[in-house]
Amino acid sequence: MSLNRPCAIVLAALAALPGASAAEPPPGADAAPGAQAAAPDPKGAADYGFDPVHTRVMFALSHAGFSQAIGTVSGAAGRLRFDPADWRSARLDVQVPLTRLDLGDGKWNKAALARNLLDGKRWPTARFVSATVEPSAGDPQRFKVCGTLSLHGVDGPLCLDVKFNALKRHPLPPFHRTAGFSATATLSRAAFGVDAWKSVIGDEVELRIEAEALRDKYVGDSPKAAADAAAGDEADNESVRPDPAPAQPARARPQQAQPTQEPRP
C-alpha cells in the first residue's frame, strides 16, 4: 500500500494557526524604519500581521502505528489584535494555505491534497477564528485560545495552548515591532470529514505552531499577498546578514619547487 495517502491526512492539522483576518483592510502604510526603531512599547491594542516566512505549522499523526508522520505548512496570513496588558481582549483570524503543505515528498503532498483526503482544489485554505482567550493562572505568559476551525468545508471547535515568547523591536531592518508565539493543539481529522484510510492513518492530529507577527505589517493580507510582500522584502534585504563573518585574506599559494636537471655527460 502506498505511503503517500496515509500521510496526507496530516495536513488537516495545519489550519489551527492563530493570526489575522484577510477580510479586514490594512490599517495603513508601515512607519519609517527610524520611527519603528525608536517607538516605545505599544499602549493599548495594536494590529499585527503574521510573517509568512517565520510562521509555520508542524503536524504529526500515526502512520499505521509504525511512526508519527510529520509535515509542515508555511505561508499563513491574517490579523492578530492584542493588548499585552489585556490578553482577554485579543482576537485572532488566520488563513492557512493547505496547498503549501510539505511532507518531504512530492507524491505524498499530492496524495494529501487528493479528493478523498483534504480535497485541496475545493478547499485550498483552512481558517481559524478565535472566540475566547484565557490567561493561565500559573503562568502569565501562557494562554488558552479557543475558537472555530474551518477545514474541509466543516466548522468545528479547536483550542490552542499558546505561549507568548517576546514582544520587541526586530534586530534586523526595517526593525518592525514583532511578537512571537508558540502553540500546540490536537484535533480529530474525522471530525472535519477527513476520514479515509482509517486502518493506516491515525485520527488524532498533533499540531505545533511557531508564529511571528509584525505590527502594522502584512495585516489583512491574503496568503498570496503576504508571500509576495515577503519575497520583495527578502530581495531588498538580501545583503543584510546578522553578525557577518569578517572577510578572510586570500592565502598565497606556495610555489612548487622546480625539479633540477642533472648535467649531461
Side-chain angles (χ1 to χ4, degrees):
M1 179 170 299
S2 171
L3 299 179
N4 304 341
R5 298 180 180 277
C7 299
I9 315 312
V10 170
L11 320 174
L14 314 175
L17 194 81
S21 173
E24 299 181 33
D30 294 331
Q36 288 281 352
D41 290 340
K43 302 298 182 181
D47 287 321
Y48 293 75
F50 284 91
D51 181 339
V53 176
H54 298 102
T55 298
R56 183 161 294 195
V57 181
M58 184 182 77
F59 53 91
L61 76 176
S62 175
H63 175 231
F66 295 112
S67 66
Q68 292 293 303
I70 296 175
T72 62
V73 176
S74 60
R79 180 187 300 269
L80 163 62
R81 183 170 181 81
F82 76 97
D83 177 354
D86 180 17
W87 285 103
R88 284 187 172 86
S89 66
R91 292 294 178 265
L92 314 173
D93 187 345
V94 67
Q95 296 183 62
V96 178
L98 299 182
T99 51
R100 294 286 302 273
L101 69 90
D102 182 11
L103 289 161
D105 180 85
K107 292 182 178 179
W108 284 26
N109 296 346
K110 185 176 180 180
L113 294 169
R115 186 174 180 180
N116 63 332
L117 292 177
L118 288 179
D119 197 356
K121 288 187 177 180
R122 188 177 182 188
W123 310 108
T125 62
R127 185 181 183 186
F128 177 78
V129 180
S130 70
T132 61
V133 178
E134 290 296 331
S136 171
D139 188 341
Q141 306 290 31
R142 293 185 179 274
F143 312 89
K144 178 78 73 173
V145 180
C146 295
T148 299
L149 172 63
S150 300
L151 174 68
H152 196 247
V154 177
D155 294 341
L158 182 71
C159 287
L160 308 172
D161 292 313
V162 179
K163 179 179 180 294
F164 173 51
N165 296 323
L167 174 61
K168 59 185 179 180
R169 189 192 74 164
H170 200 284
L172 294 178
F175 309 110
H176 284 290
R177 200 73 178 168
T178 302
F181 303 87
S182 300
T184 58
T186 59
L187 61 85
S188 162
R189 66 183 182 90
F192 292 89
V194 186
D195 55 6
W197 296 95
K198 294 180 180 180
S199 62
V200 180
I201 305 170
D203 180 61
E204 184 177 88
V205 181
E206 298 180 7
L207 298 175
R208 175 179 171 179
I209 300 160
E210 298 295 333
E212 294 185 17
L214 281 60
R215 188 174 65 184
D216 299 334
K217 178 72 174 178
Y218 305 122
V219 178
D221 284 353
S222 67
K224 183 180 185 305
D228 290 345
D233 291 343
E234 182 67 18
D236 292 339
N237 296 327
E238 186 175 357
S239 62
V240 177
R241 294 291 183 270
D243 301 325
Q248 297 294 328
R251 293 184 178 181
R253 298 181 61 182
Q255 294 184 351
Q256 295 183 351
Q258 297 297 322
T260 58
Q261 293 184 349
E262 295 183 1
R264 288 181 147 185

